[in-house]
Amino acid sequence: MLCKAVGELSWLLTRGYPPSATLKLVGDRYALTERQRWAVGRAACTDEQHQRRQAALLPPVPLDGRPVSIDGFNLLITLETALSGGVVLRGRDGALRDLSSIHGTYRAVQETDRAIRLAAAALLPLTPGPVRWLLDQPVSNSGRLAARLRELGPALGLPWTVEVVMNPDTVLADTTDIVVTSDSAVLDRAGAWLNLAALALEAEPPQWLLDLSQGNGEVEAG
């Protein structure tokens, strides 16, 4: 049912229907809960977005020293959610997303270090060039997380840098680096992106993976 809803929403968005009103229309059609609507909205995208994101997605092959920029909270919260048994969804574009929102507040949890280590373990074999994490300055505890990342990097074989900036999305949208994010606005502008969350979780598959990638934008008659 949710895959059908993603397909119908994607079909309508492709044809220029407004996102909020269209999500309500599709949600009402299937009597979706608020959380289900949120999942469908996160998973859907237009045909053009789908094609562009797929074309820019890099396979898990050596990066030959190319620089990588990571949307820090975006990646870590998705991994933390998966490791703690929360729901992670695979969108139509293949990116993994969680259903949580930090609302300006973040606290490291039991799974944080594990998430960082998983990300490093997935990234290291790809032989990246300089790796930088970007964290949102307005989010509480971003400084503490930055310090922890800087501390762990050398021990994990990746002496990455960490920057705390006002808006990582703006930096990521303008960079020529390979980007790691599931943020739709950034993916639509990225020259190349790496689905690092999916690669990292191959080592520890999520307990609850909601695969909505088959929402193919087709609409059945009737």
Side-chain angles (χ1 to χ4, degrees), residues 72-73 76 106 108 112-113 116-117 133-136 139-156 158-165:
F73 285 120
L76 288 181
Y106 172 83
T112 301
D113 276 14
I116 296 170
R117 294 177 187 278
W133 290 76
L134 295 167
L135 301 176
D136 305 64
V139 175
S140 65
N141 295 310
S142 56
R144 292 182 181 179
L145 179 59
R148 185 56 177 157
L149 283 164
R150 294 186 185 110
E151 180 183 358
L152 285 176
L156 298 174
L158 286 167
W160 49 44
T161 60
V162 186
E163 298 176 21
V164 181
V165 299

Side-chain angles (χ1 to χ4, degrees), residues 52-53 55-59 63 66-72 74-75 93 95 97 123 126 128-134 168-199:
R52 193 191 186 292
R53 293 174 193 176
L57 174 61
L58 296 179
L63 303 177
R66 295 175 63 184
V68 176
S69 289
I70 301 174
D71 188 348
N74 181 281
L75 175 63
D93 57 10
R97 297 176 173 90
L123 190 55
L126 303 182
V131 176
R132 65 170 174 171
W133 290 76
L134 295 167
D169 291 354
T170 301
V171 179
L172 290 165
D174 292 336
T175 187
T176 57
D177 295 357
I178 297 168
V179 301
V180 172
T181 188
S182 63
D183 184 277
S184 295
V186 176
L187 292 180
D188 287 338
R189 295 181 59 180
W193 68 286
L194 187 66
N195 198 352
L196 188 57
L199 296 177

